[in-house]
Amino acid sequence: MSDITLTHPTHSELGITIAGFFTGIVQRHTFNRTTHELSLLNDHTLADIGLSRASLARATTIEELQAMSGGSF
């Protein structure tokens, strides 16, 4: 039989984990706000910046939206 050893994360590892968690929350909030604001634009304006309603629904990150629009916003 083998022994199992559990280790506790160091303070720096814990800090990195917590920072990553909050960074993810901020990124998701920014994405949601951006897609909401873009969804308020009319279809013509969206087309002018290279987006469509379908692309807003399909994207999962701001970087994807920027790539879809050719970096227009």
Side-chain angles (χ1 to χ4, degrees), residues 16-46:
I16 291 169
T17 301
I18 292 170
F21 174 76
F22 284 110
T23 298
I25 289 174
V26 169
Q27 288 174 339
R28 176 52 60 185
H29 174 74
T30 302
F31 173 75
N32 288 342
R33 183 172 179 163
T34 301
T35 54
H36 172 73
E37 290 179 11
L38 286 169
S39 72
L40 297 175
L41 300 175
N42 63 39
D43 291 338
H44 182 75
T45 304
L46 283 173

Side-chain angles (χ1 to χ4, degrees), residues 1 12-13 16 19 26 37 41 44-45 50 52 56 58 61 69-71:
M1 240 198 232
S12 62
E13 291 171 338
I16 291 169
V26 169
E37 290 179 11
L41 300 175
H44 182 75
T45 304
S52 66
L56 291 178
R58 204 172 35 248
T61 64
S69 71

